[in-house]
């Protein structure tokens, strides 16, 4: 956990960050390797990246703790059914968190600038979700690249559950291809 200490000095705020104890990472966490790859290729318009995921009870509970979103639709099947859903819902923003993960895993140092979202259909516990990020435009600005991505999530093969666009600034268009190549 980080402890932030603030001290005012001549009208400015000085920040010092002290690491009070190590941050534990889940055993499934894989620290990215930021070294350059000799097999990298440049991002092009139309490149599509996918990742599939099922969200567990534990992940939804942990997300609720972090976000302080304890809406009973996420925890109580009866309340969710009374509201017109089949069962408990996975937080939409938890599902949307797949988008920056896909971008950052391919482009270390990427800065996620914006995201628009439309929630089209609910995601339930146990649903397999496939997130897609596709480059739709790019331009260079000084030493970085500004890229617009189409962002979509599907379940049950082709049912659209999330639709939107993201903007990210990338330090380079060279992709880290250690994960899967674009579709």
């Amino acid at each position: 956990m980080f402890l932030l200490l603030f001290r005012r000095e001549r009208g400015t705020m000085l920040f010092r960050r002290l690491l009070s104890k190590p941050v534990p990472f889940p055993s499934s966490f894989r620290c990215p390797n930021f070294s350059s790859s000799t097999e990298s290729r440049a991002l092009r318009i139309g490149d599509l990246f996918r990742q599939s995921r099922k969200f567990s009870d534990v992940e939804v509970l942990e997300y609720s703790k972090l976000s302080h979103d304890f809406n009973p639709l996420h925890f109580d099947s009866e309340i969710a059914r009374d509201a017109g859903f089949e069962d408990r819902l996975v937080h939409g923003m938890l599902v949307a968190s797949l988008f920056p993960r896909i971008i950052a895993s391919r482009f270390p140092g990427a800065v996620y600038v914006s995201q628009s979202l439309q929630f089209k259909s609910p995601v339930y516990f146990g649903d397999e979700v496939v997130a897609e990020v596709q480059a739709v435009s790019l331009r260079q600005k000084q030493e970085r690249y500004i890229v617009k991505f189409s962002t979509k999530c599907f379940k049950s093969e082709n049912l659209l559950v999330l639709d939107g666009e993201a903007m990210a600034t990338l330090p380079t268009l060279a992709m880290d291809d250690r994960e899967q190549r674009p579709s």
Side-chain angles (χ1 to χ4, degrees):
M1 168 188 292
F2 288 98
L3 174 65
L4 295 177
L5 299 177
F6 303 99
R7 193 174 86 210
R8 289 197 182 271
E9 199 172 278
R10 295 188 188 139
T12 63
M13 185 80 67
L14 298 178
F15 297 93
R16 289 187 315 185
R17 198 181 291 192
L18 300 175
L19 187 60
S20 62
K21 67 178 184 177
V23 178
F25 289 103
S27 59
S28 62
F29 179 78
R30 183 177 65 90
C31 187
N33 180 354
F34 295 118
S35 63
S36 61
S37 169
T38 57
E39 295 188 31
S40 65
R41 70 173 190 82
L43 175 70
R44 294 182 298 240
I45 292 174
D47 282 347
L48 178 68
F49 306 95
R50 289 188 179 100
Q51 179 185 4
S52 63
R53 178 79 187 267
K54 288 183 184 179
F55 293 97
S56 70
D57 291 353
V58 172
E59 291 167 322
V60 170
L61 179 60
E62 290 300 314
Y63 181 82
S64 291
K65 289 177 184 176
L66 286 171
S67 66
H68 299 274
D69 179 354
F70 294 101
N71 187 327
L73 293 173
H74 305 296
F75 302 102
D76 188 317
S77 295
E78 186 177 329
I79 289 175
R81 282 191 283 275
D82 288 347
F85 298 103
E86 294 174 18
D87 206 345
R88 298 174 298 151
L89 305 173
V90 175
H91 295 79
M93 295 305 288
L94 179 57
V95 176
S97 72
L98 293 171
F99 303 137
R101 189 261 185 244
I102 292 170
I103 293 169
S105 69
R106 300 305 192 293
F107 303 97
V111 177
Y112 213 69
V113 178
S114 68
Q115 174 73 62
S116 66
L117 292 171
Q118 294 180 341
F119 299 95
K120 301 290 192 175
S121 188
V123 174
Y124 301 106
F125 287 68
D127 284 346
E128 182 170 8
V129 177
V130 177
E132 291 185 351
V133 173
Q134 185 172 26
V136 294
S137 71
L138 57 92
R139 64 184 169 95
Q140 186 171 3
K141 183 174 182 179
Q142 298 169 358
E143 299 293 317
R144 297 186 65 82
Y145 297 88
I146 299 171
V147 182
K148 181 190 286 186
F149 294 96
S150 167
T151 55
K152 297 179 184 304
C153 281
F154 299 90
K155 70 176 188 179
S156 304
E157 299 298 319
N158 61 357
L159 178 62
L160 183 65
V161 296
L162 270 179
D163 190 18
E165 288 185 338
M167 295 287 286
T169 59
L170 310 179
T172 177
L173 294 179
M175 292 187 284
D176 185 345
D177 281 346
R178 277 175 281 237
E179 297 203 15
Q180 73 185 55
R181 293 195 177 267
S183 301

Short mmCIF file of all heavy atoms in Angstrom, two decimals, residues 99-136:
data_model
loop_
_atom_site.label_atom_id
_atom_site.label_comp_id
_atom_site.label_asym_id
_atom_site.label_seq_id
_atom_site.Cartn_x
_atom_site.Cartn_y
_atom_site.Cartn_z
N PHE A 99 -10.37 -3.84 -22.31
CA PHE A 99 -9.85 -3.03 -23.40
C PHE A 99 -8.48 -2.44 -23.09
O PHE A 99 -7.53 -2.63 -23.88
CB PHE A 99 -10.84 -1.93 -23.80
CG PHE A 99 -12.20 -2.44 -24.21
CD1 PHE A 99 -13.35 -1.80 -23.77
CD2 PHE A 99 -12.34 -3.56 -25.03
CE1 PHE A 99 -14.60 -2.26 -24.14
CE2 PHE A 99 -13.60 -4.02 -25.41
CZ PHE A 99 -14.74 -3.37 -24.96
N PRO A 100 -8.31 -1.70 -21.98
CA PRO A 100 -6.96 -1.18 -21.73
C PRO A 100 -5.94 -2.29 -21.49
O PRO A 100 -4.76 -2.14 -21.80
CB PRO A 100 -7.13 -0.30 -20.49
CG PRO A 100 -8.43 -0.65 -19.89
CD PRO A 100 -9.27 -1.23 -21.00
N ARG A 101 -6.37 -3.42 -20.98
CA ARG A 101 -5.46 -4.54 -20.77
C ARG A 101 -4.92 -5.04 -22.11
O ARG A 101 -3.74 -5.31 -22.27
CB ARG A 101 -6.20 -5.67 -20.04
CG ARG A 101 -5.27 -6.80 -19.58
CD ARG A 101 -5.34 -7.94 -20.56
NE ARG A 101 -4.56 -9.08 -20.07
CZ ARG A 101 -3.48 -9.54 -20.70
NH1 ARG A 101 -3.06 -8.98 -21.79
NH2 ARG A 101 -2.84 -10.57 -20.23
N ILE A 102 -5.79 -5.16 -23.10
CA ILE A 102 -5.36 -5.61 -24.43
C ILE A 102 -4.37 -4.62 -25.03
O ILE A 102 -3.33 -5.00 -25.55
CB ILE A 102 -6.58 -5.81 -25.36
CG1 ILE A 102 -7.44 -6.98 -24.89
CG2 ILE A 102 -6.13 -6.00 -26.81
CD1 ILE A 102 -8.78 -7.10 -25.61
N ILE A 103 -4.69 -3.34 -24.95
CA ILE A 103 -3.83 -2.31 -25.54
C ILE A 103 -2.48 -2.26 -24.84
O ILE A 103 -1.43 -2.27 -25.48
CB ILE A 103 -4.55 -0.94 -25.53
CG1 ILE A 103 -5.75 -0.98 -26.49
CG2 ILE A 103 -3.57 0.18 -25.93
CD1 ILE A 103 -6.69 0.20 -26.37
N ALA A 104 -2.50 -2.21 -23.50
CA ALA A 104 -1.24 -2.10 -22.75
C ALA A 104 -0.36 -3.34 -22.91
O ALA A 104 0.86 -3.24 -22.89
CB ALA A 104 -1.53 -1.85 -21.28
N SER A 105 -0.98 -4.51 -23.10
CA SER A 105 -0.17 -5.72 -23.26
C SER A 105 0.54 -5.75 -24.61
O SER A 105 1.59 -6.36 -24.74
CB SER A 105 -1.03 -6.97 -23.08
OG SER A 105 -1.93 -7.12 -24.16
N ARG A 106 0.00 -5.08 -25.61
CA ARG A 106 0.63 -5.04 -26.94
C ARG A 106 1.57 -3.85 -27.09
O ARG A 106 2.49 -3.88 -27.89
CB ARG A 106 -0.43 -4.96 -28.05
CG ARG A 106 -1.42 -6.12 -28.13
CD ARG A 106 -0.75 -7.45 -28.23
NE ARG A 106 -1.58 -8.57 -28.58
CZ ARG A 106 -2.55 -9.09 -27.85
NH1 ARG A 106 -2.88 -8.55 -26.72
NH2 ARG A 106 -3.20 -10.16 -28.24
N PHE A 107 1.29 -2.78 -26.34
CA PHE A 107 2.04 -1.53 -26.47
C PHE A 107 2.45 -1.03 -25.09
O PHE A 107 1.82 -0.13 -24.54
CB PHE A 107 1.20 -0.48 -27.20
CG PHE A 107 0.73 -0.93 -28.54
CD1 PHE A 107 -0.55 -1.45 -28.71
CD2 PHE A 107 1.57 -0.88 -29.65
CE1 PHE A 107 -0.98 -1.91 -29.94
CE2 PHE A 107 1.14 -1.34 -30.88
CZ PHE A 107 -0.14 -1.85 -31.03
N PRO A 108 3.51 -1.61 -24.51
CA PRO A 108 3.97 -1.16 -23.20
C PRO A 108 4.25 0.35 -23.21
O PRO A 108 4.84 0.87 -24.16
CB PRO A 108 5.25 -1.95 -22.97
CG PRO A 108 5.08 -3.18 -23.81
CD PRO A 108 4.31 -2.72 -25.03
N GLY A 109 3.76 1.04 -22.21
CA GLY A 109 3.91 2.49 -22.14
C GLY A 109 2.75 3.25 -22.73
O GLY A 109 2.74 4.47 -22.74
N ALA A 110 1.73 2.53 -23.24
CA ALA A 110 0.54 3.19 -23.79
C ALA A 110 -0.18 3.94 -22.69
O ALA A 110 -0.22 3.51 -21.54
CB ALA A 110 -0.39 2.16 -24.40
N VAL A 111 -0.74 5.09 -23.05
CA VAL A 111 -1.55 5.88 -22.11
C VAL A 111 -2.98 5.88 -22.63
O VAL A 111 -3.24 6.33 -23.74
CB VAL A 111 -1.02 7.33 -21.99
CG1 VAL A 111 -1.92 8.15 -21.07
CG2 VAL A 111 0.42 7.34 -21.50
N TYR A 112 -3.88 5.34 -21.83
CA TYR A 112 -5.29 5.26 -22.20
C TYR A 112 -5.89 6.64 -21.96
O TYR A 112 -5.94 7.13 -20.84
CB TYR A 112 -5.96 4.21 -21.29
CG TYR A 112 -7.08 3.45 -21.93
CD1 TYR A 112 -6.84 2.54 -22.94
CD2 TYR A 112 -8.38 3.61 -21.49
CE1 TYR A 112 -7.87 1.81 -23.51
CE2 TYR A 112 -9.41 2.88 -22.05
CZ TYR A 112 -9.15 1.99 -23.05
OH TYR A 112 -10.17 1.27 -23.62
N VAL A 113 -6.36 7.29 -23.02
CA VAL A 113 -6.80 8.68 -22.94
C VAL A 113 -8.31 8.81 -22.76
O VAL A 113 -8.78 9.63 -21.99
CB VAL A 113 -6.34 9.46 -24.19
CG1 VAL A 113 -6.82 10.89 -24.16
CG2 VAL A 113 -4.82 9.41 -24.31
N SER A 114 -9.08 8.00 -23.46
CA SER A 114 -10.54 8.10 -23.34
C SER A 114 -11.18 6.79 -23.76
O SER A 114 -10.58 5.96 -24.44
CB SER A 114 -11.09 9.24 -24.19
OG SER A 114 -10.94 8.97 -25.57
N GLN A 115 -12.44 6.64 -23.33
CA GLN A 115 -13.23 5.45 -23.67
C GLN A 115 -14.69 5.84 -23.67
O GLN A 115 -15.18 6.40 -22.70
CB GLN A 115 -13.00 4.34 -22.64
CG GLN A 115 -13.88 3.12 -22.83
CD GLN A 115 -13.48 2.25 -24.01
OE1 GLN A 115 -12.38 1.73 -24.03
NE2 GLN A 115 -14.35 2.09 -24.98
N SER A 116 -15.38 5.56 -24.76
CA SER A 116 -16.84 5.69 -24.79
C SER A 116 -17.40 4.28 -24.75
O SER A 116 -16.80 3.36 -25.31
CB SER A 116 -17.32 6.43 -26.04
OG SER A 116 -17.05 5.66 -27.20
N LEU A 117 -18.53 4.11 -24.08
CA LEU A 117 -19.12 2.78 -23.95
C LEU A 117 -20.63 2.83 -24.10
O LEU A 117 -21.28 3.77 -23.62
CB LEU A 117 -18.83 2.19 -22.56
CG LEU A 117 -17.41 1.82 -22.23
CD1 LEU A 117 -17.30 1.47 -20.76
CD2 LEU A 117 -16.95 0.66 -23.09
N GLN A 118 -21.16 1.83 -24.73
CA GLN A 118 -22.61 1.58 -24.74
C GLN A 118 -22.81 0.15 -24.28
O GLN A 118 -22.25 -0.78 -24.88
CB GLN A 118 -23.20 1.79 -26.13
CG GLN A 118 -23.14 3.21 -26.61
CD GLN A 118 -23.74 3.37 -27.99
OE1 GLN A 118 -23.90 2.41 -28.74
NE2 GLN A 118 -24.08 4.59 -28.33
N PHE A 119 -23.58 -0.01 -23.22
CA PHE A 119 -23.86 -1.34 -22.68
C PHE A 119 -25.08 -1.89 -23.41
O PHE A 119 -26.18 -1.37 -23.29
CB PHE A 119 -24.10 -1.26 -21.17
CG PHE A 119 -22.91 -0.72 -20.42
CD1 PHE A 119 -22.82 0.61 -20.11
CD2 PHE A 119 -21.88 -1.56 -20.06
CE1 PHE A 119 -21.72 1.12 -19.44
CE2 PHE A 119 -20.76 -1.08 -19.39
CZ PHE A 119 -20.69 0.26 -19.08
N LYS A 120 -24.88 -2.92 -24.21
CA LYS A 120 -25.92 -3.45 -25.09
C LYS A 120 -26.68 -4.62 -24.49
O LYS A 120 -27.85 -4.80 -24.77
CB LYS A 120 -25.30 -3.89 -26.42
CG LYS A 120 -24.58 -2.79 -27.18
CD LYS A 120 -25.57 -1.80 -27.72
CE LYS A 120 -24.92 -0.87 -28.72
NZ LYS A 120 -25.89 0.01 -29.34
N SER A 121 -26.00 -5.45 -23.71
CA SER A 121 -26.60 -6.65 -23.16
C SER A 121 -25.85 -7.02 -21.89
O SER A 121 -24.65 -6.77 -21.78
CB SER A 121 -26.51 -7.78 -24.19
OG SER A 121 -27.23 -8.90 -23.78
N PRO A 122 -26.54 -7.61 -20.90
CA PRO A 122 -25.86 -7.93 -19.64
C PRO A 122 -24.88 -9.10 -19.77
O PRO A 122 -25.03 -9.97 -20.63
CB PRO A 122 -27.02 -8.30 -18.70
CG PRO A 122 -28.13 -8.72 -19.59
CD PRO A 122 -27.96 -7.95 -20.86
N VAL A 123 -23.88 -9.08 -18.90
CA VAL A 123 -22.94 -10.19 -18.77
C VAL A 123 -23.20 -10.82 -17.41
O VAL A 123 -23.23 -10.13 -16.39
CB VAL A 123 -21.48 -9.72 -18.88
CG1 VAL A 123 -20.51 -10.86 -18.60
CG2 VAL A 123 -21.22 -9.11 -20.26
N TYR A 124 -23.40 -12.13 -17.40
CA TYR A 124 -23.68 -12.86 -16.17
C TYR A 124 -22.45 -13.64 -15.73
O TYR A 124 -21.56 -13.92 -16.54
CB TYR A 124 -24.86 -13.83 -16.38
CG TYR A 124 -26.12 -13.13 -16.81
CD1 TYR A 124 -26.58 -13.21 -18.12
CD2 TYR A 124 -26.85 -12.38 -15.90
CE1 TYR A 124 -27.74 -12.56 -18.52
CE2 TYR A 124 -28.02 -11.73 -16.29
CZ TYR A 124 -28.45 -11.81 -17.59
OH TYR A 124 -29.59 -11.16 -17.98
N PHE A 125 -22.42 -13.98 -14.45
CA PHE A 125 -21.34 -14.82 -13.93
C PHE A 125 -21.24 -16.08 -14.79
O PHE A 125 -22.26 -16.69 -15.11
CB PHE A 125 -21.64 -15.23 -12.49
CG PHE A 125 -21.50 -14.12 -11.49
CD1 PHE A 125 -22.36 -13.05 -11.50
CD2 PHE A 125 -20.50 -14.16 -10.54
CE1 PHE A 125 -22.23 -12.02 -10.58
CE2 PHE A 125 -20.36 -13.14 -9.61
CZ PHE A 125 -21.22 -12.07 -9.63
N GLY A 126 -20.04 -16.44 -15.18
CA GLY A 126 -19.83 -17.65 -15.96
C GLY A 126 -19.90 -17.45 -17.46
O GLY A 126 -19.50 -18.34 -18.21
N ASP A 127 -20.41 -16.30 -17.94
CA ASP A 127 -20.42 -16.03 -19.38
C ASP A 127 -18.99 -15.86 -19.87
O ASP A 127 -18.19 -15.16 -19.25
CB ASP A 127 -21.17 -14.73 -19.71
CG ASP A 127 -22.68 -14.84 -19.63
OD1 ASP A 127 -23.19 -15.97 -19.58
OD2 ASP A 127 -23.35 -13.78 -19.63
N GLU A 128 -18.68 -16.49 -21.00
CA GLU A 128 -17.39 -16.22 -21.62
C GLU A 128 -17.56 -14.98 -22.49
O GLU A 128 -18.44 -14.91 -23.34
CB GLU A 128 -16.90 -17.38 -22.47
CG GLU A 128 -15.54 -17.08 -23.06
CD GLU A 128 -14.89 -18.28 -23.72
OE1 GLU A 128 -15.54 -19.32 -23.85
OE2 GLU A 128 -13.72 -18.15 -24.11
N VAL A 129 -16.72 -14.00 -22.26
CA VAL A 129 -16.76 -12.73 -22.98
C VAL A 129 -15.52 -12.66 -23.86
O VAL A 129 -14.42 -12.99 -23.43
CB VAL A 129 -16.76 -11.54 -22.00
CG1 VAL A 129 -16.72 -10.22 -22.74
CG2 VAL A 129 -17.97 -11.60 -21.08
N VAL A 130 -15.71 -12.24 -25.10
CA VAL A 130 -14.59 -12.03 -26.01
C VAL A 130 -14.51 -10.53 -26.28
O VAL A 130 -15.45 -9.93 -26.81
CB VAL A 130 -14.76 -12.80 -27.34
CG1 VAL A 130 -13.61 -12.49 -28.29
CG2 VAL A 130 -14.85 -14.30 -27.08
N ALA A 131 -13.40 -9.93 -25.86
CA ALA A 131 -13.16 -8.50 -26.08
C ALA A 131 -12.36 -8.34 -27.36
O ALA A 131 -11.42 -9.10 -27.61
CB ALA A 131 -12.42 -7.90 -24.90
N GLU A 132 -12.73 -7.34 -28.15
CA GLU A 132 -12.02 -7.03 -29.40
C GLU A 132 -11.63 -5.57 -29.40
O GLU A 132 -12.43 -4.70 -29.05
CB GLU A 132 -12.91 -7.28 -30.62
CG GLU A 132 -13.22 -8.70 -30.90
CD GLU A 132 -13.99 -8.89 -32.19
OE1 GLU A 132 -14.45 -7.89 -32.80
OE2 GLU A 132 -14.16 -10.05 -32.59
N VAL A 133 -10.41 -5.30 -29.80
CA VAL A 133 -9.89 -3.95 -29.96
C VAL A 133 -9.32 -3.87 -31.36
O VAL A 133 -8.47 -4.69 -31.74
CB VAL A 133 -8.79 -3.66 -28.90
CG1 VAL A 133 -8.12 -2.34 -29.16
CG2 VAL A 133 -9.37 -3.70 -27.49
N GLN A 134 -9.82 -2.92 -32.16
CA GLN A 134 -9.37 -2.79 -33.54
C GLN A 134 -8.92 -1.36 -33.82
O GLN A 134 -9.64 -0.40 -33.51
CB GLN A 134 -10.48 -3.18 -34.51
CG GLN A 134 -10.03 -3.18 -35.95
CD GLN A 134 -11.07 -3.75 -36.89
OE1 GLN A 134 -12.27 -3.72 -36.61
NE2 GLN A 134 -10.61 -4.29 -38.01
N ALA A 135 -7.74 -1.21 -34.40
CA ALA A 135 -7.22 0.11 -34.75
C ALA A 135 -8.03 0.66 -35.92
O ALA A 135 -8.13 0.02 -36.96
CB ALA A 135 -5.75 0.02 -35.12
N VAL A 136 -8.62 1.86 -35.75
CA VAL A 136 -9.42 2.45 -36.82
C VAL A 136 -8.79 3.73 -37.39
O VAL A 136 -9.09 4.11 -38.51
CB VAL A 136 -10.89 2.71 -36.39
CG1 VAL A 136 -11.60 1.41 -36.12
CG2 VAL A 136 -10.98 3.62 -35.19
#
